[in-house]
C-alpha cells in the first residue's frame, strides 16, 4: 500500500510534472486536499497538467481518502 506520491512517481515522472507545471502556471496543486484525498487531488492536478498517464497511476495507487488509507493499513496489518 502506498501512502504518498513519492512512492509511485519516478524522478523522470517528477521532471515531467515540473515541466508541465512551468507551462501551465495557472494550474494549482491543492496541498490541503492532497492530505485528505490524495488519489483524487493528485489525479485532478495531473489531468489539468495534461499528464493523463500519471493521473491514472495516482487514481489507481493512491488512497481515495484518509479513511481508505487507514482501512487498507489495518487490512495489511492483519495478514
Amino acid at each position: 500500500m502506498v501512502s504518498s506520491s513519492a512512492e509511485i512517481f519516478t524522478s523522470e515522472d517528477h521532471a515531467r510534472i515540473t515541466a508541465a507545471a512551468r507551462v501551465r502556471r495557472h494550474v494549482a496543486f491543492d496541498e490541503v486536499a492532497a492530505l485528505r484525498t490524495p488519489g483524487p487531488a493528485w489525479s485532478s492536478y495531473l489531468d489539468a497538467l495534461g499528464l493523463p498517464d500519471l493521473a491514472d497511476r495516482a487514481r489507481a495507487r493512491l488512497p481515495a481518502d484518509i479513511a481508505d488509507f487507514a482501512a487498507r493499513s489495518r487490512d495489511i496489518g492483519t495478514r
Side-chain angles (χ1 to χ4, degrees):
M1 168 68 186
V2 298
S3 60
S4 76
S5 63
E7 296 177 61
I8 65 169
F9 298 127
T10 66
S11 58
E12 181 180 300
D13 296 334
H14 285 287
R16 288 178 58 208
I17 294 167
T18 300
R22 284 189 193 124
V23 172
R24 296 187 172 155
R25 294 182 187 271
H26 63 281
V27 176
F29 181 69
D30 187 343
E31 293 181 24
V32 173
L35 292 173
R36 297 163 77 201
T37 57
W42 272 100
S43 62
S44 293
Y45 176 65
L46 295 168
D47 274 332
L49 290 178
L51 302 169
D53 59 318
L54 298 183
D56 287 343
R57 192 181 317 160
R59 243 184 311 279
R61 299 204 44 212
L62 290 172
D65 58 32
I66 294 171
D68 182 36
F69 176 71
R72 289 185 195 187
S73 296
R74 278 193 305 273
D75 290 344
I76 290 170
T78 60
R79 292 181 190 173

